[in-house]
Amino acid sequence: MADTKKTATLTLDGTSYELPVYSPTEGPDVLDIRKLYSEAGVFTYDPGFTSTAACDSAITYIDGGEGVLLHRGYTIGELAEKSHYLEVCYLLLYGELPTAAQMEDFESRVTNHTMIHEQMHKFFSGFRRDAHPMAIMVAVVGAMSAFYHDSIDISDPWQREVATIRLIAKMPTIAAAAYKYTIGQPMVYPRNDLDYASNFLRMCFSVPAEEYDVNPILARAMDRIFTLHADHEQNASTSTVRLASSSGANPFACIAAGIACLWGPAHGGANQACLEMLREIGTVDRIPEYIARAKDKNDPFRLMGFGHRVYKNIDPRATVLKQSADEVLELLGVENNPTLQVAKELEKAALADPYFAEKKLFPNVDFYSGIILEAMGFPTSMFTPIFALSRTIGWISQWKEMIEDPALKIGRPRQLYTGEHQRAYTNVEDRK
């Protein structure tokens, strides 16, 4: 907890209460209201927790107004440009960038845990073939607690570490298996000679009938998507993981809860919504019509993938991912894909229009990640599972930080009750 050297005074019905004020490393000061109910008999009201700090954390910092995203003090742009996903995983988990020896050990541990229990393959066959991959992921990740009993005791630091490595290592295997199952192809086992992103692409797109060589440009783009979605402070799914873990639930159940929350279209479905919008536009010649609609306040249409509810300036993740998107489109071409043709022309048109610059409606990370995944051949149903795979390290890091906090308490939000006053029960024959 940050040190407090200031107080704020709340006056209520003529009585004053002193509230400690904490100053964080970055960001606005925070009022400590933990004793407000016991001393003043009132709660605070903050639907959506938009003005409430539910925890203190040293992992990720966001300044939406300035377009800043820091992981352990490092900017996301620098990490995406110079680092790679597993190194960022290490950074988020342990707080510092690894030495060469530490990185080699960490990569080895992750690589040697990518296979899932063989009996889990039978679990997949219980789903319908048209099941959404997210439905499969929620179930399979939650079921890991039934297969890995030696890593569910959260009071044991070693078991927490084993669960952490297993989740990072097995999530690509589970996501790829869910995809393969829904398209009727055999599941592909991971290979220890491939890097994290290349392994995932191979498990998604290879078939037993022929060799599959992962293009390094595609692998780098996928690694950047993983990196840029690794953590995003106290968002809905991260808060869900923290709330679930506050009860003492095992780590696999907590991460499954995070996946379920991310499945919601208001959270994890932004890049899918972007692709659906591009398909609605359909052809390049219709772009002016849709831009005009986006500017019309009376038209419900909105350009998906432009602007961001957190970043009031440029999304810092988008700048780096645009580079990868350009590289992927140059490699694969857009001539035979009308959706990608629309995406490239829409980007040009929006960036050249003063209206979007004035409104700070720049292409965001969802726009570019959607383009990349579409170009690679992923169906939109796989966009959110890939998001979940990427965000797993953020959830685990936040979970680990919370479990190790000596001030840990079970989450118990309060409410503003608007129901009936206490009343007497009426027998059914006397009701009107």
Side-chain angles (χ1 to χ4, degrees):
M1 176 67 73
D3 292 333
T4 177
K5 297 179 180 179
K6 298 184 290 186
T7 60
T9 302
L10 171 67
T11 301
L12 185 66
D13 295 331
T15 303
S16 294
Y17 303 91
E18 296 297 313
L19 303 176
V21 178
Y22 294 100
S23 296
T25 308
E26 301 277 359
D29 287 348
V30 176
L31 299 178
D32 185 347
I33 59 168
R34 284 176 291 180
K35 295 183 179 180
L36 188 59
Y37 176 59
S38 62
E39 294 180 357
V42 296
F43 296 141
T44 57
Y45 183 63
D46 182 21
F49 309 111
T50 56
S51 296
T52 298
C55 65
D56 56 281
S57 178
I59 299 172
T60 298
Y61 171 72
I62 296 171
D63 185 334
E66 296 298 323
V68 172
L69 171 59
L70 304 179
H71 290 328
R72 300 290 190 178
Y74 297 96
T75 66
I76 188 61
E78 190 172 24
L79 290 173
E81 193 69 47
K82 299 178 180 179
S83 185
H84 57 88
Y85 182 66
L86 283 185
E87 185 176 66
V88 172
C89 288
Y90 188 100
L91 173 67
L92 292 173
L93 276 172
Y94 305 117
E96 298 292 343
L97 291 171
T99 64
Q102 289 170 333
M103 191 68 247
E104 182 180 0
D105 172 69
F106 184 71
E107 286 183 327
S108 175
R109 286 188 289 148
V110 170
T111 300
N112 288 308
H113 282 84
T114 50
M115 289 180 62
I116 58 175
H117 194 289
E118 192 64 20
Q119 196 172 348
M120 291 185 77
H121 287 273
K122 299 178 182 178
F123 193 60
F124 284 83
S125 63
F127 294 94
R128 287 170 51 113
R129 286 287 180 181
D130 60 355
H132 195 288
M134 284 294 278
I136 297 175
M137 287 189 70
V138 169
V140 174
V141 172
M144 287 176 71
S145 58
F147 289 87
Y148 302 107
H149 298 148
D150 60 345
S151 54
I152 58 176
D153 181 359
I154 64 171
S155 65
D156 183 340
W158 174 247
Q159 291 201 32
R160 294 201 300 268
E161 182 71 11
V162 172
T164 294
I165 297 299
R166 280 177 171 158
L167 281 162
I168 297 169
K170 299 180 191 305
M171 199 64 74
T173 310
I174 292 170
Y179 171 57
K180 284 295 196 181
Y181 182 77
T182 60
I183 62 174
Q185 291 185 2
M187 298 176 191
V188 178
Y189 287 91
R191 272 180 30 185
N192 288 357
D193 61 325
L194 295 176
D195 64 71
Y196 195 84
S198 298
N199 217 352
F200 176 65
L201 288 172
R202 179 184 172 276
M203 287 190 289
C204 286
F205 294 122
S206 69
V207 292
E210 60 187 28
E211 289 296 319
Y212 178 82
D213 294 322
V214 182
N215 187 291
I217 293 177
L218 300 186
R220 177 60 174 155
M222 181 57 70
D223 188 87
R224 278 184 171 169
I225 288 176
F226 292 162
T227 298
L228 295 170
H229 290 86
D231 192 48
H232 212 235
E233 215 190 70
Q234 307 307 316
N235 52 73
S237 57
T238 299
S239 298
T240 298
V241 171
R242 279 183 171 266
L243 193 59
S245 64
S246 75
S247 72
N250 73 74
F252 305 112
C254 295
I255 301 306
I259 296 172
C261 181
L262 188 71
W263 194 0
H267 188 11
N271 50 11
Q272 179 173 341
C274 177
L275 257 292
E276 290 169 353
M277 175 203 70
L278 294 174
R279 288 173 182 154
E280 179 186 341
I281 295 173
T283 56
V284 171
D285 60 291
R286 299 186 68 193
I287 290 175
E289 170 196 344
Y290 277 85
I291 285 183
R293 289 183 60 189
K295 296 178 181 179
D296 185 353
K297 294 181 180 179
N298 297 318
D299 193 314
F301 174 77
R302 295 290 179 268
L303 278 182
M304 305 302 295
F306 289 78
H308 197 281
R309 60 181 173 270
V310 173
Y311 301 106
K312 307 308 178 187
N313 207 312
I314 294 176
D315 183 343
R317 303 167 296 173
T319 305
V320 177
L321 203 55
K322 172 179 167 49
Q323 178 185 341
S324 286
D326 291 341
E327 292 171 354
V328 168
L329 294 185
E330 183 179 353
L331 172 70
L332 301 177
V334 299
E335 296 78 12
N336 299 319
N337 191 321
T339 302
L340 296 178
Q341 291 173 4
V342 170
K344 281 189 72 72
E345 292 305 316
L346 178 61
E347 179 195 24
K348 288 181 187 177
L351 289 176
D353 194 317
Y355 173 87
F356 293 97
E358 292 169 6
K359 299 288 186 180
K360 309 287 188 185
L361 296 176
F362 303 107
N364 60 31
V365 70
D366 302 310
F367 181 81
Y368 293 118
S369 63
I371 290 174
I372 291 171
L373 296 176
E374 164 76 11
M376 286 180 176
F378 284 104
T380 53
S381 61
M382 274 299 292
F383 287 11
T384 313
I386 291 171
F387 192 166
L389 187 172
S390 312
R391 184 56 55 84
T392 296
I393 181 56
W395 292 331
I396 296 171
S397 300
Q398 300 275 350
W399 166 80
K400 179 174 178 284
E401 182 181 62
M402 183 177 185
I403 295 300
E404 294 172 355
D405 185 353
L408 170 63
K409 290 184 178 181
I410 186 170
R412 180 46 170 100
R414 298 296 191 166
Q415 66 176 8
L416 174 65
Y417 176 67
T418 59
E420 298 289 342
H421 294 290
Q422 181 175 328
R423 49 184 172 171
Y425 179 83
T426 305
N427 292 326
V428 63
E429 60 272 14
D430 297 327
R431 298 173 199 163
K432 297 179 181 179

